[in-house]
Amino acid sequence: LILKEDLHVLYEARDRGSLVKRIQALAALAGSTPDPDPEMGAGMTAVIAPVSAAIKLTESPNRFKCSVIRAAVGSRVDPRDLRRQLSEAGYQASSVTESPGEYTSRGGILDVFPLSMESAVRIEFFDDEIDSIRTFDTETQRSIDSLSEVTIVPAAEFIPDNEEKEKALSAVMKEYDRMIR
């Protein structure tokens, strides 16, 4: 039994919009998203940020790239594995996908709102094959454009690997044991 008075929790208020912008900047710097205008930018990325934001520690570009999910029409992927990958990348399962960082799964359809996109994406499966990918309006649920592939960047700044999760669990259990003694 843990008494509420014994728990010390640090809460940090964050604006979801700021998180989305930070992750979009990380994705651009890591080269995880296509250049929107390759003729003008020639693949160059510039980030303008306050010093306080620029000096914050983040994932390494390689680790960030490893958390990026790519899906293409015709490719085979188990929808359960894709849902697991989304959860591990910081996406939240919800009953309806309405805002960046959410996903919904029903039958052979997976809706996800990637942080790097302006609209949500609907991925339709035929068994374990991706049959179609379309952007859609979250309010009307109507399709906007068909895509041949989609790149889904992480929805969190830090994605712990299994070793880090085990270390954290071990530390929590040690603290719990210390508290109950």
Side-chain angles (χ1 to χ4, degrees), residues 11-32:
Y11 290 97
E12 183 179 338
R14 280 215 168 161
D15 174 23
R16 182 79 175 151
S18 295
L19 174 66
V20 169
K21 287 179 182 170
R22 281 182 59 82
I23 291 176
Q24 288 172 340
L26 289 171
L29 289 169
S32 299

Side-chain angles (χ1 to χ4, degrees), residues 43-71:
M44 298 175 64
T45 300
V47 175
I48 301 169
V51 172
S52 60
I55 62 172
K56 283 188 178 179
L57 294 176
T58 62
E59 293 278 8
S60 72
N62 286 337
R63 187 161 169 172
F64 187 87
K65 283 181 185 180
C66 288
S67 298
V68 171
I69 301 166
R70 288 184 174 76

